[in-house]
Amino acid sequence: MLTTLGFVMIATFLVLIMMKRMSPIAALVLIPALFCVFVGQGAHLGDYVIEGVGKLAPTAAMLMFAIVYFGLMIDVGLFDPVVRGILRFCKADPVRVVVGTAVLAAVVSLDGDGSTTFMITVSAMYPLYKRLGLSMVVMTGVAATANGVMNTLPWGGPTARAATALKLDAGDIFVPMIPALAVGLVFVFVLAYVLGLRERKRVGTLVLLPDGAEEKATVLVGGPGAGTGATRSGTGAPATGATGPATGTGASDEAPTAPSAAADPEADVQGLDPHRPTLRPRLYWFNAGLTAALLTAMIMELLPIPVLFLLGAALALTVNFPHVPDQKARLAAHADNVLNVAGMVFAAAVFTGVLSGTGMVEHMADWLVDAVPEGMGPHMALVTGLLSLPLTYFMSNDGFYFGVLPVLAEAGAAHGVSALEIARASLVGQALHMSSPLVPAVYVLVGMAKVEFGDHTRFTVKWAALTSLVVLGAGIVFGIV
C-alpha cells in the first residue's frame, strides 16, 4: 500500500509539473499533503513537515547567503575576466557557446557546490544565449549534467556519504573512479558539441539581438512551436541579415521555432555589462582572496557552510558597498532569487517530510531491493549502479546513501561483492540526481535561466540518465565496479 502510494505520489508530482498544471512550489506542498491524508496519517502532517523543514533549514540558509555572496561577486566584477575568456572562445558560434557552457560548469563545479556552479554559469552565459536566441533549456541541461558528474568529488557530498555509510575511506572510493568519471565528463562535452550542432542547424546564421530586445527564452521541448526566441524571417518581424531557415516549425520533436542567424559572429558579443556601476576594480584582489578563503574553508570544513556564506556575504557587502542605501539596493537586487529558492527548499521539505515520515520511501526502497532476482547477487555492483539512477532521483542523497546503500552492500557481501565496489557503483546516478526536484540547487539554475522546471526535466532527464549509464559502463570496462 505505502509502496504503491509512494510511486503514485511521485508520478503525480512529475506529471503535473511537466504538463505545467501546477507550479513546483504548489505541487511540492499540496500533493504530499493530500497523499498523507490518503494513507491515514493526516493528523501527523504537521510533525512530518516540521521535521522536513528542520532537516532542510541549513540548506535553505546556505542557499540564501550563497546567492547573496556570489551575486555580489558578480556585481563587483570578480568573474568578468573568466566570462570574457569564455565569450572570446564562444564568439557567436552556437557549438562553442554550448561547449563553453559545459566547460565552465565543470570547472566551477570543482568547489563542490551546485548552487555556486549554476549561479556563475548562468550569469556568464545567459546574456549570450539570450542575444543569440539559443535555447535556455540547452544551457540548463548541459550545466546540470556537467555538474552532476563533478558532484562525485569527495567534498561534493555523495562520496563522503557513501564512505560514512559503509565505513570506508573516501579516497579508496573516489580515486579508482576517476577514469570512469573522466569518460562521463568527456561524454558531456561530446553531448554539448552535438547539441550545439543542433542549435547551429536550427538557428542558421545568427543575428546578435540588441541589448534591449525583448524575447521569450526558447524551450527545446514539446514539438513545433513550443517556444519562441528572437524573430525569424518568415515568421515575424524581418531579421536583418538573416539567412537561416525561414519556416516556423522545428526540425524535430525537440526543435521549436528559432531565431535567425548573424552576419558578423564577433560583433558586439558581451556577457555581463562591462560598465555597470556596481563594479569595484580596486577591490578585485580583495574579493578574489575572500572567495578563495571561503572555498578553502568550505573544503576544509572549518565551519558549517551556511555560517561561512553568512559571514562571507556580510563581509563582502560591507567592504564593497560601505553605504547603507547601496547595501539595501544590492540585497533588493538579489531578493527575487533568494525568495524563489528558499521558498522552493521549504516546499520540498513538505515533500521529503511526508515521504520519510509516512514510511513511503522506506517501503519503496525495500520493494526495489527485494525485486532484484537472486541470480543477480554476484552482480550487485551493477544492480547498485542501475538502482542509483531512479533512487537518487526520487530520494535525497541522505536517504539513498544512509538508508538504501547499506542494504545493497549487505546483499552484495553475501555474494562476495566488496563494499568498495558497491560504494563506487552508487555514485554513477549523480548526473541524473542533480536535476531531481528534491535538489535545491536545480531551482537556482532554472530560476536564474527563467526556464520552467517541467521543461528542464523533460529535456534533461534522458541525457543525464544516458550520461550516468556511460559512467557505469566505463566503470565496468575498467574493472572498477
Side-chain angles (χ1 to χ4, degrees), residues 7 24 48 51-52 68-69 88 99 105 146 153 165 182 277 310 318 323 325 349 352 383 390 399 411 434 461:
F7 283 117
Y48 299 153
E51 183 180 357
V68 172
Y69 180 83
R88 277 197 296 269
V99 173
L153 291 167
L310 191 156
T318 302
H323 302 295
T352 57
V383 171
M434 286 310 298
V461 163

Side-chain angles (χ1 to χ4, degrees), residues 188-213:
V188 173
F189 294 151
V190 172
L191 173 63
Y193 179 80
V194 172
L195 293 175
L197 287 176
R198 287 171 52 178
E199 284 290 271
R200 180 195 284 169
K201 180 179 179 180
R202 182 177 64 84
V203 301
T205 307
L206 302 175
V207 167
L208 292 172
L209 301 172
D211 284 328

